[in-house]
Amino acid sequence: MNMNYEILGQRLRLARERSRISQTEAAQVIDVTAAALNQYESGKRRVDALTLERLSRLYGVPLRSLFGEETVQSDWEEALRLNSETISASSKAGIAHLIEKIYALEELYTQTDTPFPGVSHPPFAPLANRLLPETETAVLAAQKARYHYNLGMAPLVNLRSFLEAQELMIFIIPFGKEQNAISGLFSSHPKLGNIIAINQTQTDTRLSFSLAHGLAHCLYQHDQPAILCHHGVTNPLECFAENFSAYFLIPSAALQERLHNLGIKRVRHPAEVVHLAHYFGVSYEEMLIRLDLEHQLAGSQEDFKQIQPTRLSQNLGYSSSFEESGEGFLPVEKRLPRIFRELAYRAVLMEKLSLRRVAEMLGISDIELEDRLFMTEQTLEEIAS
């Protein structure tokens, strides 16, 4: 059967426009000229299979849809797309990647006959926009959240595990490092519940802060289908989430108690900041900001920025991962929700999906998946015995 490249080009253009990606941005991401992409879309140039696959991934559409199979854009997907007009090309590509993973997770639930979790009843009413600019609003919201989860003053050094225990879906996605790249996003899915996606190109400790930021939107802006997050943005929504994160991760009472236990009246040395940052599971910079808010710094923040936090933390005996960026390839355990991995393994063991298809969903090789399945079966046998 001869391929009608004019029709294929029209579908490529429609998929690109729906993903809010310009021709120039798309060409840069897949490493072709804008003129070549224009010719693909006009049907004047043959599209090779590899380029076609890369474009389908970039636009977050199934490859089959480019060959005529109708696909309907869900409301949650449309909400993510509509919010992506002014963000970087890398962030748009990241959103498309996330959408692909969400559809894969839906398929895993269906194929394994696992009930969808659905949207849980929110514990708090959504906050009115007029209340958000007040710092006290964020402080009170953080206190209410800790009380709701019965956390007391305990530091949340593994916030991701805690949030997944509350049935939040956590994804780590490469959204890019450009100035207009997003730091993460919140999305409400009708079947999967609340989704938080965090930019991969951050330090491990900043990831905790971004997760708390997403939790703020989840708890208090759940009336919005999707929110894209940006560091440094001063709109009320983002300022509220940033303040919530600071006080949720580092409650005032917990900070004062820790300072008292360490015999510190006012923080005078960067090493003390590192110890506190490690204890609360946040970055050095965020700990500085939080100490400044509590008027606990003996000097200005700039006085404490004349050092390299990574080197100092290593000299103090902390893991080299402290303050390291996640820019490299992350393992499945960090990239995808725990339930995603569990259902993926189950789908292969139940022979519901092929090993190759599931490996593609997970973003790993067939061999790595076979190794993981072998270890999973061993664990199950040990539990049975």
Side-chain angles (χ1 to χ4, degrees):
M1 182 179 68
N2 294 327
M3 169 61 65
N4 187 322
Y5 286 102
E6 185 175 352
I7 294 176
L8 177 61
Q10 291 172 358
R11 291 172 183 153
L12 283 171
R13 177 181 56 78
L14 179 61
R16 177 180 58 76
E17 290 175 348
R18 285 175 67 179
S19 65
R20 306 304 196 271
I21 299 177
S22 69
Q23 272 192 350
T24 301
E25 290 173 331
Q28 288 175 345
V29 172
I30 68 167
D31 196 26
V32 300
T33 65
L37 186 59
N38 183 272
Q39 289 182 321
Y40 294 150
E41 293 186 0
S42 62
K44 297 177 180 177
R45 183 170 178 173
R46 178 180 175 276
V47 191
D48 62 84
L50 180 59
T51 300
L52 201 59
E53 183 178 356
R54 294 179 70 187
L55 286 171
S56 74
R57 288 186 178 278
L58 174 62
Y59 302 150
V61 298
L63 195 58
R64 63 182 183 274
S65 70
L66 299 177
F67 292 95
E69 184 173 324
E70 289 295 323
T71 58
V72 179
Q73 193 171 60
S74 302
D75 290 343
W76 63 265
E77 180 184 348
E78 181 67 19
L80 284 174
R81 302 285 197 190
L82 286 173
N83 278 276
S84 65
E85 291 283 3
T86 59
I87 63 177
S88 71
S90 297
S91 290
K92 291 175 183 177
I95 288 176
H97 179 66
L98 173 65
I99 289 169
E100 178 188 358
K101 294 301 180 188
I102 291 173
Y103 279 125
L105 182 52
E106 284 189 50
E107 183 180 354
L108 289 171
Y109 268 100
T110 301
Q111 291 293 336
T112 58
D113 296 319
T114 304
F116 285 95
V119 180
S120 59
H121 182 73
F124 310 115
L127 286 172
N129 287 340
R130 60 182 174 78
L131 299 174
L132 297 180
E134 303 298 328
T135 301
E136 291 77 9
T137 301
V139 175
L140 180 60
Q143 290 173 347
K144 287 172 63 178
R146 276 192 160 258
Y147 181 80
H148 171 75
Y149 292 121
N150 196 27
L151 294 174
M153 295 190 297
L156 287 165
V157 292
N158 195 342
L159 181 58
R160 178 172 184 167
S161 294
F162 169 76
L163 293 181
E164 289 198 327
Q166 314 309 315
E167 296 190 335
L168 272 72
M169 302 288 178
I170 309 295
F171 292 83
I172 307 298
I173 302 289
F175 288 125
K177 297 190 293 183
E178 303 94 330
Q179 188 173 0
N180 58 338
I182 61 174
S183 58
L185 63 83
F186 159 75
S187 176
S188 179
H189 190 282
K191 294 181 179 179
L192 301 176
N194 292 321
I195 293 170
I196 297 175
I198 303 301
N199 194 345
Q200 176 181 325
T201 56
Q202 303 179 70
T203 63
D204 284 346
T205 44
R206 177 66 209 184
L207 286 176
S208 292
F209 209 83
S210 295
L211 285 172
H213 184 114
L215 178 63
H217 294 317
C218 171
L219 292 177
Y220 293 103
Q221 279 92 43
H222 47 79
D223 55 332
Q224 301 193 38
I227 298 173
L228 305 189
C229 308
H230 304 260
H231 290 322
V233 173
T234 57
N235 68 58
L237 206 64
E238 291 298 271
C239 287
F240 165 80
E242 286 291 285
N243 287 327
F244 172 94
S245 302
Y247 287 92
F248 181 76
L249 292 174
I250 314 170
S252 296
L255 177 56
Q256 294 302 326
E257 181 181 84
R258 187 62 181 168
L259 289 169
H260 175 76
N261 291 341
L262 293 173
I264 300 173
K265 292 185 177 180
R266 297 195 74 190
V267 175
R268 300 181 179 279
H269 193 277
E272 295 172 332
V273 182
V274 169
H275 288 310
L276 290 166
H278 184 78
Y279 177 77
F280 285 104
V282 300
S283 71
Y284 181 88
E285 181 185 19
E286 287 147 6
M287 196 68 243
L288 269 183
I289 294 171
R290 190 67 186 82
L291 287 165
D292 198 29
L293 288 172
E294 295 286 329
H295 307 291
Q296 291 291 343
L297 289 179
S300 69
Q301 289 188 44
E302 294 303 318
D303 296 333
F304 290 82
K305 292 181 179 179
Q306 309 305 315
I307 56 99
Q308 296 182 0
T310 303
R311 180 174 297 178
L312 177 57
S313 62
Q314 289 174 357
N315 291 340
L316 292 170
Y318 291 114
S319 167
S320 60
S321 64
F322 187 82
E323 293 281 347
E324 282 187 355
S325 172
E327 292 181 35
F329 182 79
L330 295 180
V332 174
E333 287 77 12
K334 285 195 173 184
R335 289 185 286 111
L336 300 173
R338 175 180 49 79
I339 188 64
F340 195 120
R341 306 191 305 271
E342 290 177 358
L343 294 181
Y345 302 154
R346 192 182 304 171
V348 178
L349 296 173
M350 294 171 64
E351 298 184 347
K352 296 289 187 177
L353 292 171
S354 70
L355 185 131
R356 175 158 294 182
R357 170 61 181 144
V358 172
E360 179 185 317
M361 288 176 166
L362 294 170
I364 59 178
S365 68
D366 296 6
I367 295 174
E368 183 179 347
L369 178 55
E370 285 180 335
D371 290 342
R372 287 173 174 274
L373 289 172
F374 177 72
M375 289 187 290
T376 300
E377 288 180 305
Q378 273 193 323
T379 302
L380 290 174
E381 288 174 3
E382 289 171 3
I383 292 173
S385 61

